[in-house]
């Protein structure tokens, strides 16, 4: 598992422990590795649990039905016992009534009893039909004995009616009483047999109940365990690839394209992981391509800078000669020059100087870009920097009728930096201000706040459009070609100025209102500590 | 009226010609050398009143030549104008440290150079 940013909870740690140290981990990998969709896996798990529940339902239904059948049998047995006892009781009553009839010589009670006793025949038939296998014979004998008793009682009644009481008593004692004892014995046997059967049934019901309880308990536990197991296995088979993906994407986001995501899943997550790997490879290829391109671009840029540097140097040598000779011609070293040649020669001189500035700027910029520019750090006076700029530009300002003012306290202490480059920066800004201002004034202000020097160059010139403000520090960016044509200039001055200010650890900014004028601000540390190269 | 001698150490012929033309109508006598080695030798042999030393020179650099001359008793006090290659690079500081009396950045105005020469070695 790669690193991930999810806070690990206790539950999470337990789950991870289970995955590592139990067969659950194996199971999770197996489920993940199943070639089936996420949908099918979830459906399968739910179906499995549902089947278990259905089986549990069926089993309990069966148990309930069996218990109910046993109860019915028990009821029937109880009814049979009752019936048998009733018969026994009735027979006992019959015997007493018969004995009394014999003693009293009155048959009326016997006839009532006999009428009543015919009902038992139906009961006995019913009993015999429902009886347990072994009882049928007993009941047959019971029926026979009962019928015989009824016949005997009938016979006794007949003897009494005829007044033959002695014979009636004789019959009662020799036939009636033994038959009654036989009936009693048979009933007892039936009752005993039924009771044995009932005990067995009761035992069966109890056993069935116990079995049902065990079965239900077992099913419940199994269902819960299965649900938990499937829940755990399925959810982790999904969580693992998600976590892997998260860790993998984290690596890719950090730019590590060598990372690959490996998941055991052969479902949608597996497909997703494969896509992610493909994406990473594509990104890697793109990244490599871009890096190669960047290296080539850097080489090209270096070649350009080197070329510009050597070109500028080579160009300056002949230009130096042109300017030198031209100035000497103008200075009449070679003799007096005709009046009408003076202006063209002055034009040559000015154009040559402009070209020289251009070349110098290109050389500076290419040095900065190539990282070859180094600041010549030394103590310098801010007052000297400002003075040299005003001195150099005052003739031009005066010629244009502009007021050129420098405002700075005279107690600024000696500063440390590349005074020459700082002069160049201020010269660029003030030069632009003078160049782009037709009337009004140009003000240079400098002051020290804490350890930071603040310079400000304000003019009452044409101003810069708001959407161009950002771009003025770019290379070859005069606001538009018309302005360049109108005022001349290299288009590199501000770019170089910005770079020198930044090399000193300062910042530069501009504010402007079209038609009202512009203000350029730049800050420099009073004493430069570390030198940052372009 | 003794003529002042100026030694110009410079490898570029056109640059030497500018100074040659510049000084033609003055009383200065110009002698030339085309590299640092020749510059040192000429300076020690001719003992000029002023040396114009270009910084970028073949064989021995102008800075090195400056140091050598400053260590020689015969040349230690001779005014030397170092001509640095680019106005605002660190060359000025290096030239100063090596013992230059003054420096002038190339491209220079010939008249500025003349002014500087006249200041350091006035014409008699």
């Amino acid at each position: 598992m790669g690193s991930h940013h999810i806070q690990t909870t206790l539950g999470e740690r337990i789950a991870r422990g289970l995955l590592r140290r139990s067969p659950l981990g194996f199971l999770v990998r197996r489920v993940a590795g199943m070639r089936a969709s996420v949908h099918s896996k979830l459906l399968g798990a739910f179906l499995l649990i549902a089947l278990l529940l259905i089986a549990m339902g069926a089993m309990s239904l069966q148990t309930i039905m069996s218990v109910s059948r046993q109860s019915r049998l028990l009821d029937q047995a109880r009814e049979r016992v009752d019936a048998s006892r009733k018969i026994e009781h009735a027979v006992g009553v019959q015997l007493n009534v018969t004995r009394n009839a014999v003693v009293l010589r009155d048959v009326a009670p016997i006839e009532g009893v006999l009428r009543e006793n015919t009902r038992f025949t139906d009961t006995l038939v019913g009993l015999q039909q429902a009886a347990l296998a072994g009882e049928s014979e007993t009941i047959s004998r019971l029926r026979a004995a009962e019928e015989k008793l009824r016949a005997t009682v009938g016979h006794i009644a007949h003897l009494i009616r005829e007044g033959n009481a002695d014979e009636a008593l004789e019959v009662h004692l020799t036939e009636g009483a033994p038959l009654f004892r036989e009936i009693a014995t048979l009933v007892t046997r039936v009752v005993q047999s039924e009771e044995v059967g009932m005990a067995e049934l009761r035992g069966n019901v109890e056993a069935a109940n116990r079995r049902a309880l065990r079965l239900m308990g077992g099913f419940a536990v199994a269902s819960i365990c299965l649900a938990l197991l499937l829940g755990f296995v399925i959810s982790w088979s999904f969580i693992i690839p998600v976590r892997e993906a998260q860790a993998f994407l984290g690596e890719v986001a950090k730019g590590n394209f060598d990372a690959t995501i490996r998941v055991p899943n052969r479902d949608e997550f597996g497909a997703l992981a494969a896509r992610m790997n493909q994406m990473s490879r594509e990104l890697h290829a793109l990244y490599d391509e871009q890096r190669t391109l960047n290296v080539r671009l850097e080489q090209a840029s270096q070649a350009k800078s080197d070329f510009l540097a050597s070109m500028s140097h080579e160009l300056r040598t002949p230009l130096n000669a042109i300017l030198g000779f031209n100035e000497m011609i103008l200075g009449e070293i070679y003799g007096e020059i005709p009046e009408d040649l003076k202006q063209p020669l002055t034009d040559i001189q000015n154009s040559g100087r402009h070209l020289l500035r251009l070349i110098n700027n290109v050389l500076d910029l290419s040095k900065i870009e190539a990282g070859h520019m180094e600041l010549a750090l030394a103590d310098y006076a801010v007052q000297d920097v400002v003075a040299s700029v005003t001195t150099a530009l005052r003739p031009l300002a005066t010629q244009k009728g502009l007021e050129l003012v420098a405002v700075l306290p005279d107690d600024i202490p000696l500063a440390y930096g590349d005074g020459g480059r700082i002069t160049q920066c201020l010269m660029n800004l003030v030069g632009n201000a003078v160049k782009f201002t037709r009337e009004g004034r140009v003000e240079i202000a400098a002051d020290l706040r804490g350890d930071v020097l603040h310079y400000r160059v304000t003019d009452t010139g044409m101003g810069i459009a708001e959407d161009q403000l950002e771009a003025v520090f770019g290379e070859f960016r005069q606001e538009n070609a018309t302005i360049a044509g109108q005022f001349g200039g290299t288009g590199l001055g501000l770019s170089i100025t910005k770079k020198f200010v930044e090399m000193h650890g300062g910042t530069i900014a501009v504010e402007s209102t079209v038609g009202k004028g512009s203000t350029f601000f730049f800050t420099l540390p009073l004493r430069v500590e570390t030198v940052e190269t372009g | 009226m003794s003529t002042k001698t100026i030694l110009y150490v410079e490898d570029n012929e056109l640059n030497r010609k500018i100074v040659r033309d510049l000084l033609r109508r003055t009383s200065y006598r110009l002698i030339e050398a085309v590299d640092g080695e020749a510059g040192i030798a000429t300076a020690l042999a001719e003992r000029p009143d002023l040396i114009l030393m270009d910084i970028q020179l073949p064989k021995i650099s102008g800075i090195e030549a400056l140091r050598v001359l400053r260590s020689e008793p015969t040349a230690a006090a001779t005014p030397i104008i170092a001509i640095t290659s680019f106005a605002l690079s660190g060359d000025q500081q290096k030239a100063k440290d090596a013992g230059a009396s003054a420096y002038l950045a190339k491209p220079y105005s010939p008249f500025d150079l003349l002014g500087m020469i006249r200041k350091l070695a006035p014409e008699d």
Side-chain angles (χ1 to χ4, degrees):
Chain A
M1 295 289 296
S3 67
H4 54 84
H5 308 291
I6 295 219
Q7 207 181 349
T8 49
T9 59
L10 182 67
E12 171 111 6
R13 283 205 297 276
I14 291 171
R16 290 193 176 283
L18 280 175
L19 285 175
R20 267 197 304 276
R21 293 195 189 91
S22 72
L24 279 175
F26 173 73
L27 216 58
V28 166
R29 282 189 295 281
R30 284 302 293 264
V31 168
M34 273 165 65
R35 198 185 289 278
S37 71
V38 168
H39 178 242
S40 316
K41 284 178 186 177
L42 282 174
L43 205 65
F46 285 127
L47 274 179
L48 217 59
I49 295 167
L51 277 177
L52 203 66
L53 287 172
I54 288 167
M56 183 170 83
M59 298 286 273
S60 15
L61 204 65
Q62 203 192 12
T63 310
I64 288 166
M65 275 161 70
S66 139
V67 166
S68 136
R69 195 162 43 84
Q70 305 271 8
S71 302
R72 213 167 48 244
L73 288 176
L74 205 59
D75 285 347
Q76 285 169 356
R78 207 172 285 127
E79 273 170 23
R80 284 198 298 276
V81 168
D82 283 354
S84 305
R85 290 229 166 95
K86 267 182 198 161
I87 290 167
E88 193 193 12
H89 178 71
V91 169
V93 170
Q94 197 180 333
L95 198 70
N96 275 337
V97 170
T98 309
R99 198 182 55 220
N100 289 348
V102 171
V103 174
L104 298 173
R105 289 164 191 174
D106 178 9
V107 294
I110 296 180
E111 279 163 2
V113 165
L114 278 175
R115 268 197 310 279
E116 196 140 310
N117 277 9
T118 45
R119 280 192 298 132
F120 292 134
T121 313
D122 297 339
T123 310
L124 278 169
V125 169
L127 258 179
Q128 194 170 13
Q129 277 165 0
L132 305 169
E135 273 176 26
S136 194
E137 200 212 323
T138 314
I139 290 171
S140 296
R141 284 172 59 194
L142 192 59
R143 277 176 71 183
E146 199 267 340
E147 264 172 44
K148 215 171 161 187
L149 183 62
R150 226 175 331 134
T152 308
V153 171
H155 183 56
I156 290 168
H158 178 70
L159 287 175
I160 291 169
R161 253 181 257 122
E162 286 182 354
N164 201 348
D166 289 340
E167 198 179 343
L169 183 62
E170 180 66 26
V171 170
H172 173 68
L173 290 175
T174 55
E175 290 177 34
L179 273 173
F180 170 71
R181 278 191 296 275
E182 190 188 344
I183 286 171
T185 309
L186 287 171
V187 164
T188 305
R189 198 182 296 167
V190 167
V191 167
Q192 275 173 352
S193 157
E194 286 292 343
E195 270 173 354
V196 168
M198 275 159 70
E200 201 177 307
L201 278 175
R202 265 189 224 103
N204 282 352
V205 168
E206 259 171 44
N209 278 339
R210 272 199 304 277
R211 202 171 58 242
L213 204 65
R214 272 203 303 275
L215 210 63
M216 303 273 266
F219 265 109
V221 170
S223 302
I224 290 168
C225 287
L226 188 68
L228 285 176
L229 179 77
L230 287 176
F232 183 89
V233 167
I234 294 224
S235 62
W236 275 100
S237 80
F238 298 162
I239 291 167
I240 288 171
V242 169
R243 293 279 165 80
E244 287 286 340
Q246 192 185 23
F248 166 77
L249 287 178
E251 288 297 306
V252 172
K254 275 187 277 180
N256 177 11
F257 299 109
D258 291 329
T260 52
I261 175 169
R262 275 217 311 271
V263 298
N265 295 53
R266 287 202 282 181
D267 47 24
E268 283 91 332
F269 290 111
L272 201 63
R275 286 269 177 227
M276 281 184 190
N277 281 330
Q278 191 188 354
M279 178 196 78
S280 174
R281 280 195 298 277
E282 292 288 332
L283 275 176
H284 198 174
L286 271 173
Y287 183 77
D288 282 352
E289 203 175 306
Q290 201 204 344
R291 213 164 35 185
T292 317
L293 223 60
N294 275 350
V295 169
R296 273 197 216 136
L297 271 175
E298 261 166 42
Q299 286 168 346
S301 179
Q302 183 67 46
K304 183 201 78 177
S305 296
D306 291 349
F307 170 75
L308 284 176
S310 70
M311 268 303 280
S312 313
H313 184 74
E314 294 304 316
L315 285 172
R316 268 189 319 169
T317 308
L319 191 60
N320 194 31
I322 292 170
L323 284 171
F325 285 117
N326 195 63
E327 198 179 333
M328 289 195 294
I329 294 168
L330 265 172
E332 301 189 329
I333 291 279
Y334 301 103
E336 217 172 301
I337 49 168
E339 197 59 36
D340 52 359
L341 269 185
K342 278 186 179 163
Q343 189 53 46
L345 285 170
T346 308
D347 289 344
I348 290 173
Q349 197 67 18
N350 289 337
S351 298
R353 287 226 175 91
H354 183 202
L355 181 58
L356 186 68
R357 276 200 303 279
L358 194 61
I359 291 167
N360 286 343
N361 282 344
V362 169
L363 183 65
D364 275 354
L365 204 61
S366 60
K367 267 191 191 165
I368 291 169
E369 281 187 353
H372 295 155
M373 180 60 79
E374 278 174 21
L375 295 177
L377 297 176
D379 283 334
Y380 69 93
V382 175
Q383 290 85 350
D384 289 353
V385 168
V386 175
S388 68
V389 172
T390 47
T391 307
L393 290 169
R394 194 171 301 285
L396 181 61
T398 310
Q399 190 191 321
K400 290 184 75 173
L402 300 174
E403 199 185 340
L404 179 62
V405 197
V407 183
L408 73 162
D410 46 19
D411 60 351
I412 298 177
L414 218 55
Y416 183 74
D418 190 334
R421 293 303 188 186
I422 294 165
T423 307
Q424 189 184 352
C425 291
L426 197 61
M427 190 80 83
N428 280 335
L429 294 179
V430 180
N432 281 346
V434 171
K435 211 188 297 175
F436 294 121
T437 304
R438 285 202 184 84
E439 55 183 13
R441 70 204 296 263
V442 171
E443 187 185 297
I444 309 165
D447 64 293
L448 181 66
R449 298 177 211 161
D451 293 334
V452 181
L453 285 166
H454 289 253
Y455 288 87
R456 195 180 74 233
V457 178
T458 309
D459 66 46
T460 54
M462 59 176 60
I464 304 161
E466 205 175 328
D467 59 342
Q468 294 287 328
L469 278 179
E470 283 287 314
V472 293
F473 297 110
E475 289 150 34
F476 294 103
R477 284 294 169 131
Q478 272 178 339
E479 206 192 332
N480 57 52
T482 324
I483 293 173
Q486 200 176 343
F487 294 94
T490 66
L492 291 174
L494 285 178
S495 175
I496 291 169
T497 300
K498 181 173 194 276
K499 289 193 162 139
F500 280 136
V501 166
E502 285 170 357
M503 279 175 80
H504 278 86
T507 55
I508 188 163
V510 60
E511 277 173 12
S512 186
T513 311
V514 174
K516 291 261 175 73
S518 310
T519 304
F520 282 83
F521 305 89
F522 69 96
T523 62
L524 293 173
L526 181 66
R527 301 192 72 80
V528 175
E529 280 170 16
T530 49
V531 183
E532 292 164 37
T533 46
Chain B
M1 179 166 125
S2 63
T3 302
K4 293 244 165 100
T5 304
I6 296 172
L7 168 64
Y8 187 21
V9 191
E10 160 71 67
D11 59 321
N12 186 287
E13 162 60 18
L14 275 174
N15 285 339
R16 289 203 305 275
K17 188 171 187 303
I18 287 172
V19 176
R20 215 179 290 145
D21 289 354
L22 182 70
L23 298 181
R24 185 182 295 156
R25 297 210 177 165
T26 65
S27 64
Y28 295 110
R29 182 174 77 96
L30 182 68
I31 52 175
E32 298 169 17
V34 295
D35 58 55
E37 223 171 67
I40 294 167
T42 314
L44 294 177
E46 300 278 334
R47 302 176 73 167
D49 300 287
L50 179 75
I51 301 171
L52 305 176
M53 178 74 75
D54 195 85
I55 292 305
Q56 283 189 317
L57 286 175
K59 291 184 183 172
I60 293 174
S61 84
I63 298 287
E64 191 53 41
L66 261 171
R67 283 205 196 96
V68 172
L69 288 178
R70 283 299 178 231
S71 66
E72 293 286 336
T74 49
T78 312
I80 301 177
I81 299 174
I83 295 171
T84 55
S85 68
F86 188 43
L88 298 156
S89 75
D91 281 3
Q92 289 183 356
Q93 192 62 41
K94 281 185 222 158
K96 213 173 179 177
D97 292 344
S101 320
Y103 50 80
L104 191 65
K106 204 157 65 170
Y108 52 82
S109 153
F111 295 105
D112 287 350
L113 176 65
L114 190 57
M116 207 173 265
I117 290 169
R118 282 186 169 137
K119 206 169 123 192
L120 288 170
E123 273 183 287
D124 296 313

